[in-house]
Amino acid sequence: VYVPNVFLPDDDGRNDFFYPATGICVQWVRSLRVYDRWGELVFERTDFQPNEEASGWDGRFRGKAMAPAVFAWTMELQYLDG
């Protein structure tokens, strides 16, 4: 499982989403949550296929682009063997 430590959501078609890139051993992403430095949930997506860029976070919160900052995240994965 690879999750980038930096992304640039500037709509140039490269590196615009924060999402997990996985090998074939990961069947499903149960949840991906992103929090700002004060602990506010700024993104949540549940039950999606891994390696789907558009299923990740685009750097927006409540419809507006967020300023560059440090964020924390959690993720739950389901592997092929359960």
Side-chain angles (χ1 to χ4, degrees):
V1 177
Y2 170 75
V3 181
N5 60 353
V6 175
F7 78 113
L8 182 61
D10 60 0
D11 295 324
D12 69 352
R14 297 179 318 153
N15 201 24
D16 289 332
F17 293 88
F18 175 78
Y19 70 101
T22 70
I24 60 171
C25 61
V26 176
Q27 182 178 27
W28 203 247
V29 180
R30 291 282 180 211
S31 68
L32 174 61
R33 294 179 180 96
V34 179
Y35 302 87
D36 68 14
R37 64 188 309 169
W38 297 279
E40 183 173 9
L41 182 66
V42 297
F43 174 81
E44 179 178 34
R45 171 113 347 118
T46 59
D47 298 322
F48 63 95
Q49 297 268 335
N51 302 314
E52 289 186 356
E53 182 177 283
S55 293
W57 182 42
D58 65 359
R60 296 182 180 278
F61 180 54
R62 296 183 180 152
K64 296 182 181 178
M66 295 192 74
V70 174
F71 298 89
W73 57 272
T74 63
M75 183 172 46
E76 292 179 57
L77 302 173
Q78 180 176 324
Y79 286 82
L80 290 175
D81 63 2

